[in-house]
């Protein structure tokens, strides 16, 4: 299975940090956010990774190179302007191939076991999401889980972690090179009973503001002692 890291966002809420540095290259625990992902993907046995980029994307390519330092092949899917999540994935499909693939948001920090997700997407399903507890900045959540199925509503609403496994068919309606959001495609998959999910309760952080970046840095310092 191939993996994709989404790294094309502008990071407006992270300014001024992102005025000169793309958000996935911001450091926590002494390493860029995206490097934590690459290390965990390599540990999980992933050999091929696609990274999309737009804002200051050349910095990402210069920093990460061809992926050989992690014993993997890294390819890039540049976007002139950010194409949103589904648009960015659809644009990268020629690099991702015809089989299901893992996608990870580049601006998160997590200890999710990516290796387990290699077998997450069953036959005839288009999407499998990892959901987490709702963070303070997103108290109402996004989806629910019912008997391993992804649902729009439920007794316990959870937040989408930004980690999911998708079949290329999920993006069949997206015109390559045009912006498109992921949520409508997931809602359609739910309506067609083609979306599953799992609940992860371990380490996960959405690095959306400089304050959250600093908090995570302090947490990692404490853990390193």
């Amino acid at each position: 299975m191939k993996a994709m890291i989404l790294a094309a966002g502008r990071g407006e809420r992270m300014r001024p940090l992102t005025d000169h540095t793309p958000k996935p290259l911001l450091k926590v625990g002494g390493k860029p956010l995206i490097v934590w992902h690459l290390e965990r993907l390599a540990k999980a046995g992933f050999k091929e990774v696609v990274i999309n980029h737009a804002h200051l994307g050349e910095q990402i390519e210069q920093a990460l190179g061809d992926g050989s330092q992690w014993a993997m092949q890294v390819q890039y899917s540049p976007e002139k302007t950010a194409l949103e999540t589904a648009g960015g994935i659809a644009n990268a499909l020629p690099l991702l191939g015809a089989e299901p693939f893992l996608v990870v948001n580049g601006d998160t920090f997590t200890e999710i076991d990516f290796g387990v997700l290699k077998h997450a997407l069953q036959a005839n399903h288009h999407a499998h999401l990892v959901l987490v507890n709702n963070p303070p900045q997103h108290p109402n959540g996004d989806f629910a889980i019912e008997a391993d199925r992804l649902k729009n509503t439920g007794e316990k609403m959870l937040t989408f972690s930004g980690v999911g496994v998708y079949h290329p068919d999920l993006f069949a309606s997206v015109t390559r090179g045009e912006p498109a959001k992921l949520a409508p495609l997931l809602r359609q998959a739910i309506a067609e009973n083609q979306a599953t999910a799992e609940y992860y309760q371990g380490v996960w952080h959405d690095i959306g503001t400089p304050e959250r970046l600093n908090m995570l840095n302090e947490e990692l310092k404490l853990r390193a002692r």
Side-chain angles (χ1 to χ4, degrees), residues 25-223:
L25 290 185
L26 295 177
K27 291 184 177 181
V28 290
K31 288 184 287 193
L33 281 166
I34 199 168
V35 169
W36 289 95
H37 286 326
L38 288 168
E39 290 179 346
R40 291 195 169 106
L41 287 168
K43 184 178 179 180
F46 285 83
K47 298 297 184 184
E48 296 179 80
V49 177
V50 176
I51 300 173
N52 72 330
H53 61 69
H55 173 62
L56 302 176
E58 67 282 355
Q59 289 188 31
I60 293 175
E61 294 198 23
Q62 290 168 3
L64 306 180
D66 62 2
S68 56
Q69 61 183 305
W70 300 284
M72 59 170 57
Q73 178 189 27
V74 172
Q75 294 179 285
Y76 298 96
S77 179
E79 302 168 14
K80 291 182 179 179
T81 56
L83 298 174
E84 307 267 11
T85 301
I89 295 171
N91 193 56
L93 285 179
L95 299 175
L96 291 166
E99 299 299 320
F101 49 86
L102 173 73
V103 175
V104 184
N105 279 6
D107 58 357
T108 59
F109 179 91
T110 184
E111 294 179 358
I112 291 170
D113 184 351
F114 297 136
V116 172
L117 293 171
K118 284 184 175 182
H119 309 289
L121 201 62
Q122 301 176 14
N124 301 319
H125 293 161
H126 284 173
H128 178 85
L129 304 190
V130 178
L131 306 185
V132 297
N133 289 320
N134 300 330
Q137 69 271 14
H138 193 65
N140 297 324
D142 302 301
F143 300 101
I145 303 175
E146 183 179 305
D148 297 327
R149 297 287 175 160
L150 187 68
K151 298 294 182 180
N152 287 313
T153 58
E155 290 185 12
K156 184 178 179 65
M157 295 296 290
L158 298 167
T159 291
F160 175 37
S161 68
V163 177
V165 180
Y166 308 114
H167 192 283
D169 286 351
L170 180 69
F171 306 93
S173 64
V174 179
T175 301
R176 188 163 177 250
E178 292 188 3
K181 295 183 180 296
L182 181 61
L185 304 183
L186 295 175
R187 308 282 183 202
Q188 183 63 32
I190 291 172
E192 296 172 356
N193 200 31
Q194 292 183 343
T196 56
E198 62 185 80
Y199 179 27
Y200 172 73
Q201 299 182 66
V203 174
W204 178 85
H205 296 273
D206 170 24
I207 314 301
T209 64
E211 291 75 21
R212 282 184 236 155
L213 184 73
N214 291 334
M215 287 176 62
L216 177 56
N217 259 317
E218 292 303 314
E219 180 180 320
L220 291 176
K221 287 179 183 177
L222 290 174
R223 290 171 60 181

